[in-house]
Amino acid sequence: NYDGGVSTRELIPSIGYPFGRALLPLLVNQPLTQLAVSTRDEETLLAAASGDRVGMLRLQQQTNLFASFVENGSLPDEASQAAIDSPVVLNTTLVEPRRLLFDGDHRWLYALDTEDNITMIHIEAGLAGRSELSAPMSLAVEPAEVTRVEPLAGSLSLLAADDQGRVTQWFPVSAEGGIRLQRIREFS
C-alpha cells in the first residue's frame, strides 16, 4: 500500500490458504517425525514419515486467467482453484527415515534413514499406489557417520557431509536395474 506516497510504504501482514483451510491428512492419527515440502511451478508435494511409514500428497494450484484481475492487491478467490490428490501411504517399510528430500524435477523422493542409507522413491509411482524404490545405498564412508544431507543448487544432486569433515556429491545415474545414486566427487 503506497497511500502515504512513494517514500512511505505500509506492509499489511496476512495469512493465505491457497489450498483451503481443511486439514491435509497425510498419515492420519500418527505422529509425524519428518516432513518435506517442495513447490515447482503450480505443484506442491508433501511427504511425511511416521516411524517406518512414508506418505505423500500432491497439491496443484490452477489459475483462471480470465478471472485473474487484481482486487485489493490479491487475486480474487475465484481466480485460483486447488486440486488435492488423495494422500498415499507407500506400501513398503523403510528403516525409519531421519530426513526426506525431494529432487528439483519432482521425480524422486530421497529418504535418508538412521543407518546413513538413502533410498530413492519414484514419486509418480508412489502417488499411483505402486512402490518403486531403489535399493538402500550407504552415503557414509566408513567409519564416518553422515551428519547432514542437502540438495545442491537445482536440487538434482545431493551433498552429504560426515563427521570426518568430508563432503561428497551424489547424482542419480542410470544403472542396471534402474536409477541409483552415484558418488561424483569428494571434498575434504
Side-chain angles (χ1 to χ4, degrees), residues 139-154:
L139 293 183
V141 178
E142 295 296 329
E145 293 182 19
V146 174
T147 57
R148 190 164 183 168
V149 175
E150 295 293 333
L152 194 56

Side-chain angles (χ1 to χ4, degrees), residues 103-122:
D103 76 341
D105 287 341
H106 282 186
R107 281 194 226 161
W108 300 101
L109 171 66
Y110 299 110
L112 178 68
D113 67 29
T114 56
E115 298 171 1
D116 293 339
N117 295 316
I118 196 157
T119 301
M120 297 173 64
I121 302 166
H122 190 266

Side-chain angles (χ1 to χ4, degrees), residues 17-160:
Y17 298 91
F19 299 106
R21 291 179 173 253
L23 294 176
L24 300 174
L26 211 45
L27 293 170
V28 179
N29 296 326
Q30 297 178 39
L32 301 182
T33 55
Q34 290 297 314
L35 179 68
V37 179
S38 178
T39 299
R40 180 174 177 246
D41 299 326
E42 294 182 347
E43 175 181 78
T44 298
L45 292 174
L46 298 172
S50 179
D52 59 1
R53 301 188 69 196
V54 174
M56 287 194 294
L57 178 64
R58 179 186 1 236
L59 310 162
Q60 294 176 333
Q61 188 74 28
Q62 298 172 342
T63 302
N64 179 345
L65 297 178
F66 296 109
S68 62
F69 57 91
V70 175
E71 286 181 6
N72 300 325
S74 63
L75 290 174
D77 290 339
E78 64 272 5
S80 292
Q81 184 177 12
I84 302 173
D85 291 351
S86 296
V88 175
V89 177
L90 297 179
N91 189 18
T92 189
T93 301
L94 301 171
V95 175
E96 184 173 342
R98 66 176 167 125
R99 183 79 198 272
L100 296 173
L101 296 158
F102 288 104
D103 76 341
D105 287 341
H106 282 186
R107 281 194 226 161
W108 300 101
L109 171 66
Y110 299 110
L112 178 68
D113 67 29
T114 56
E115 298 171 1
D116 293 339
N117 295 316
I118 196 157
T119 301
M120 297 173 64
I121 302 166
H122 190 266
I123 292 170
E124 285 302 320
L127 289 170
R130 302 182 320 272
S131 293
E132 289 184 22
L133 312 172
S134 69
M137 164 177 214
S138 179
L139 293 183
V141 178
E142 295 296 329
E145 293 182 19
V146 174
T147 57
R148 190 164 183 168
V149 175
E150 295 293 333
L152 194 56
S155 300
L156 295 179
S157 61
L158 299 175
L159 293 179

